Amino acid sequence: MTKRLIISLAGMALAAIAHAANYDLGISDSDVNIGWGATYSSPSISYTSSSWGAVYWEIPSTITTSDYQTVTIELASAPTAALKLYLYTTSTWSNLSDAEVIVDAGTTTISLTLDSSWSFDRIYLQDCTGSGQSVTLSAAYLVPNDDDSGEVAGTSNYCLDLTSVGSHDWSGYSYSNPTITFSNAWGACSFDLPSGVSLSDYVSVEVKFTSTNGLQLFAGSGWSMLGDAVSATSSKTSLTLTITDAMSTADAIWIQNTGTEGATVTLTSICLIAEEDDDEDDTTDTFETATSAVKNMAIGWNAGNRLECNSNLQSNMWIESSNSDYETAWGQKKLSKALITMLKDAGFNTVRIPVTWYPHLGITISSGKWNKSSWAPSSVTIDATWLARVKEVVDYVIDNDMYCILNVHHDTGALSSSFDVAWVVADATYYSKYSATFKSLWTQIATAFKDYGEKLLFEGYNEMMDADGSWNYASSAASTYSSSNATKSYTAVNNFAQDFVDAVRATGGNNSQRNLIVNTYGAACGPGASAWSDYQYLPLTQLTIPTDEATDHLAAEVHCYPYFASGATASDVKTEIAGYVANWKQYILQAKSVPLIIGEWNGSSVADTSLVPTVASELVSQCKDEDIATLLWMSIFNGDYGDESNLSWGDSDAVALKDAIIKAYYGEDGYNTISSGIENVTVPFETDAPVFNLQGIRVERPTTPGIYIQGGKKFLYRGQ
């Protein structure tokens, strides 16, 4: 287990704190909020002529501020005029009395000692003079209280100085702190380790950056590479190099370009990560956080209208009565591994598998009917054949090294005259009746997949709506809107969400740290650029993130099917989607402090189909900027069948949609573009150097054709 303290742009050793890490407030654009009279572009604040210009950090509700003794802001560039650091509480919309400190020009560290009686949820950094100055942030963090023993937890993290590069640099680059510009496809520069700093005292090197190109990170001595290297494609913003014995004599950390000429990388930090001491809790959390997973999911696809097929009506259970194959009952073909591989090769990195479970839970069908009202078992048993097929489909995805989301789908839904089988309903009566059944179902699912790794995520429920079948927000389908009934519906959603998390965690094993997903009411996404009802915000604001024994392993999900009437323009699309993203950022990413997945979206509500690629491009690119994963609902395969005999993309509109998604995420050159400098090989690699795929993940010797990286070079492996 490692400690992750502050991420700094300045060169400094971080002080070790007794058995607790500093809380990193963050300095990325998504962390820092604009107050007034200022603009922010990470890591720089530009104050305007207003003497009240300010930016601020939100404190998540999960943080107890009395556990910390100071708040500290560090600046990479000194202010030219006075700055004020102060605390604020939104409950009274006022500053805390005496909770402020003012520093003069030239000061680069601002610290405010906290009083344990203070309760605050915002930290402001304000310009006091209206001079129009600019400052550059280095770090922002809360320092925890010391424990009584005064012991410290081993070696602290150490961040290298970014103000100058090392002395053994290769050619083909220029450096202007913190930006490297590569003029050569293999240019590289080094950052020297200071005298007395040994890599053997640390467990890893962590580099954070923004980049337009592929990078490689390694440790070196003089001109020699020591040990292995790690690589990242342009979609990555961090690299972690595990320190081995072979690197113990290294005197520098190297960053090398592995892509095209003229590429740039802007460094955020290069930190050596220290090992915990023996007295620390040795509980191991090896899964990546939900934030990391959602970012790495990138773009994805829904395997829809297959495993979620169901009969829809209690009075006409036509699939069960005829012993039909559920997976093909709605006209699709059985899902194949070849189709999933086709998605992977195209650049998609996530597949969501919607599954409807109730027909496979031992329900009784009589004369083609199911009496749901008499069905509320405290425990259920999933049909073994059905579960085996679900696992087979999940394996298609996992075997392709993709993220897989497995859910409970049409067990939820909008109750109506054409659909009345839902039993996971946003209603107090339904919750009381079916809570135990729901927990039993998730206990069985979680147990079946207990040993699966971090690429498998569980989604508790799909689009859970009230007993009136209200879309967009609770009680909207009632004859008269009732805020009281709506509140009860939101409460039911939150109760089911907590049951889901509790049931999965109780199964132990990898499920104790598996990333879990909870949806808003109806998976409603809120309004876009303009709201036609204030109630549209409620599914976002009323979602309560469950209490979880695991840390940073929960994510939220919404679905988005944006509507554009005939005559809409590309500008209209950009503005509307920017409205969606702004609300998701405010009400989910910031207010709930969890990452977000757009679990379903497509252009089915766009009147002018020629505008659909624009919708795709804007949604995917704007979401990528906020590390929000986007998963298309079907629409790109030939008839969406995708069976072994029909592995082809759809018509020209479907291909245009697919291409728009890929380019919006990976750039105009698309995914896996073969560039100059790639060597062709037809046999497995012969040297012992490690092999990586284009996502920077180490792999065994290649067995399937594709582009791989070894020894800092790209190879096109064409198979045996």
Side-chain angles (χ1 to χ4, degrees):
M1 192 173 178
T2 58
K3 282 190 296 182
R4 302 194 176 274
L5 306 183
I6 12 177
I7 299 302
S8 172
L9 283 171
M12 61 185 199
L14 306 182
I17 302 300
H19 298 293
N22 295 352
Y23 177 73
D24 186 5
L25 296 170
I27 59 172
S28 71
D29 287 331
S30 61
D31 299 318
V32 181
N33 301 273
I34 305 302
W36 55 91
T39 58
Y40 185 73
S41 177
S42 176
S44 298
I45 310 169
S46 295
Y47 293 104
T48 65
S49 57
S50 169
S51 61
W52 300 102
V55 298
Y56 63 93
W57 288 263
E58 296 274 10
I59 305 298
S61 59
T62 54
I63 295 297
T64 302
T65 55
S66 60
D67 291 341
Y68 295 86
Q69 61 186 9
T70 59
V71 55
T72 299
I73 309 295
E74 294 179 352
L75 305 175
S77 65
T80 57
L83 290 176
K84 180 167 74 171
L85 174 66
Y86 66 92
L87 308 181
Y88 191 92
T89 174
T90 55
S91 61
T92 59
W93 296 105
S94 62
N95 302 357
L96 287 181
S97 176
D98 298 325
E100 65 179 44
V101 61
I102 298 176
V103 298
D104 295 329
T107 305
T108 56
T109 300
I110 310 170
S111 290
L112 173 64
T113 301
L114 303 178
D115 187 309
S116 60
S117 65
W118 290 343
S119 177
F120 58 96
D121 52 17
R122 285 187 181 182
I123 298 172
Y124 276 82
L125 185 61
Q126 178 185 317
D127 178 27
C128 297
T129 63
S131 60
Q133 67 175 318
S134 295
V135 297
T136 301
L137 293 174
S138 173
Y141 52 96
L142 298 175
V143 178
N145 300 321
D146 288 332
D147 68 1
D148 294 334
S149 69
E151 296 175 352
V152 294
T155 305
S156 61
N157 293 357
Y158 186 90
C159 294
L160 299 181
D161 188 355
L162 299 185
T163 59
S164 62
V165 296
S167 57
H168 300 118
D169 309 333
W170 295 343
S171 61
Y173 81 94
S174 60
Y175 186 72
S176 176
N177 179 31
T179 300
I180 310 170
T181 301
F182 293 109
S183 58
N184 183 286
W186 301 105
C189 60
S190 65
F191 293 83
D192 291 345
L193 298 177
S195 176
V197 174
S198 171
L199 288 189
S200 61
D201 293 331
Y202 301 89
V203 296
S204 63
V205 179
E206 183 178 77
V207 177
K208 295 194 173 185
F209 51 85
T210 59
S211 174
T212 59
N213 218 48
L215 294 176
Q216 186 179 66
L217 171 68
F218 59 90
S221 177
W223 300 97
S224 301
M225 178 191 297
L226 300 178
D228 298 337
V230 291
S231 302
T233 61
S234 59
S235 63
K236 301 290 185 181
T237 58
S238 67
L239 275 173
T240 299
L241 172 67
T242 299
I243 296 172
T244 63
D245 291 342
M247 303 175 191
S248 61
T249 59
D251 57 15
I253 302 300
W254 291 74
I255 296 176
Q256 178 180 334
N257 183 23
T258 59
T260 59
E261 299 176 0
T264 62
V265 54
T266 300
L267 298 172
T268 303
S269 65
I270 305 177
C271 291
L272 310 182
I273 306 302
E275 190 172 17
E276 290 279 21
D277 69 353
D278 294 337
D279 294 332
E280 291 287 346
D281 181 3
D282 61 0
T283 301
T284 301
D285 185 349
T286 59
F287 277 23
E288 65 180 333
T289 64
T291 299
S292 173
V294 171
K295 180 178 181 178
N296 292 334
M297 284 178 187
I299 50 177
W301 177 79
N302 278 267
N305 292 359
R306 288 180 173 88
L307 297 183
E308 89 272 25
C309 296
N310 67 98
S311 296
N312 290 344
L313 287 172
Q314 300 176 55
S315 60
N316 183 21
M317 303 299 283
W318 58 277
I319 305 179
E320 294 85 350
S321 299
S322 63
N323 294 315
S324 299
D325 184 339
Y326 282 90
E327 193 171 349
T328 61
W330 287 0
Q332 303 288 49
K333 302 296 184 182
K334 294 194 72 168
L335 197 68
S336 69
K337 186 175 182 179
L339 180 136
I340 302 301
T341 302
M342 186 175 173
L343 281 165
K344 176 69 174 180
D345 291 344
F348 290 89
N349 202 37
T350 305
V351 175
R352 179 172 177 255
I353 302 175
V355 181
T356 300
W357 297 90
Y358 78 86
H360 313 284
L361 300 180
I363 64 174
T364 300
I365 308 299
S366 178
S367 300
K369 298 180 180 180
W370 172 43
N371 184 3
K372 186 183 74 173
S373 63
S374 65
W375 179 81
S378 59
S379 64
V380 291
T381 301
I382 303 172
D383 177 76
T385 301
W386 178 252
L387 183 58
R389 175 55 180 163
V390 173
K391 293 186 74 170
E392 187 176 31
V393 172
V394 169
D395 289 342
Y396 293 165
V397 182
I398 299 300
D399 289 348
N400 270 286
D401 195 28
M402 302 169 76
Y403 287 90
C404 179
I405 297 175
L406 181 64
N407 82 349
V408 169
H409 204 76
H410 284 308
D411 301 83
T412 69
L415 293 172
S416 67
S417 59
S418 59
F419 182 86
D420 63 0
V421 293
W423 56 279
V424 184
V425 180
D427 177 89
T429 300
Y430 274 81
Y431 176 74
S432 177
K433 184 174 183 179
Y434 293 109
S435 171
T437 312
F438 181 70
K439 286 186 284 189
S440 177
L441 172 59
W442 266 115
T443 297
Q444 286 222 11
I445 297 171
T447 300
F449 292 94
K450 186 176 181 178
D451 296 330
Y452 279 63
E454 66 185 359
K455 290 294 185 73
L456 175 62
L457 294 86
F458 295 152
E459 175 193 325
Y461 47 87
N462 181 46
E463 297 169 348
M464 193 194 316
M465 284 168 270
D466 61 21
D468 294 317
S470 301
W471 293 92
N472 299 308
Y473 55 85
S475 194
S476 63
S479 56
T480 302
Y481 177 81
S482 168
S483 60
S484 175
N485 289 343
T487 298
K488 292 177 182 177
S489 295
Y490 297 126
T491 299
V493 171
N494 294 330
N495 287 341
F496 274 117
Q498 188 66 62
D499 285 351
F500 158 61
V501 172
D502 291 345
V504 173
R505 295 291 182 237
T507 61
N510 284 346
N511 291 330
S512 65
Q513 55 181 325
R514 190 172 307 285
N515 289 316
L516 307 179
I517 305 165
V518 295
N519 293 358
T520 59
Y521 170 91
C525 62
S530 59
W532 46 264
S533 170
D534 289 341
Y535 299 138
Q536 285 179 276
Y537 291 97
L538 292 177
L540 303 180
T541 62
Q542 296 304 303
L543 175 66
T544 297
I545 303 302
T547 300
D548 189 12
E549 62 188 38
T551 301
D552 299 328
H553 287 299
L554 296 180
E557 180 179 314
V558 298
H559 299 168
C560 184
Y561 293 85
Y563 170 74
F564 294 99
S566 179
T569 66
S571 177
D572 296 331
V573 171
K574 183 174 184 178
T575 299
E576 181 71 4
I577 290 177
Y580 282 117
V581 174
N583 287 327
W584 298 336
K585 182 177 179 181
Q586 178 179 354
Y587 296 113
I588 299 294
L589 300 181
Q590 294 176 351
K592 310 299 182 185
S593 298
V594 294
L596 179 66
I597 300 165
I598 311 305
E600 295 179 16
W601 75 271
N602 71 23
S604 59
S605 297
V606 180
D608 181 358
T609 57
S610 67
L611 207 58
V612 171
T614 303
V615 174
S617 181
E618 289 295 341
L619 182 66
V620 171
S621 62
Q622 291 192 39
C623 284
K624 179 186 177 183
D625 289 343
E626 302 299 335
D627 294 334
I628 299 172
T630 51
L631 279 63
L632 178 70
W633 182 262
M634 305 174 67
S635 304
I636 53 175
F637 286 107
N638 189 0
D640 275 316
Y641 289 168
D643 64 316
E644 294 281 7
S645 63
N646 192 15
L647 282 174
S648 63
W649 303 110
D651 59 19
S652 58
D653 288 341
V655 171
L657 172 59
K658 182 260 298 182
D659 290 346
I661 294 170
I662 299 301
K663 290 182 178 181
Y665 192 84
Y666 294 105
E668 284 300 312
D669 289 336
Y671 176 75
N672 278 7
T673 300
I674 300 177
S675 59
S676 60
I678 296 177
E679 299 181 18
N680 295 329
V681 293
T682 57
V683 297
F685 299 81
E686 296 178 352
T687 70
D688 292 331
V691 179
F692 301 88
N693 63 21
L694 287 181
Q695 284 69 50
I697 300 171
R698 187 168 178 171
V699 298
E700 298 298 327
R701 288 297 182 266
T703 58
T704 58
I707 299 175
Y708 298 89
I709 299 170
Q710 185 183 46
K713 294 183 178 181
K714 290 183 180 179
F715 294 88
L716 176 60
Y717 173 52
R718 298 187 180 278
Q720 295 285 5

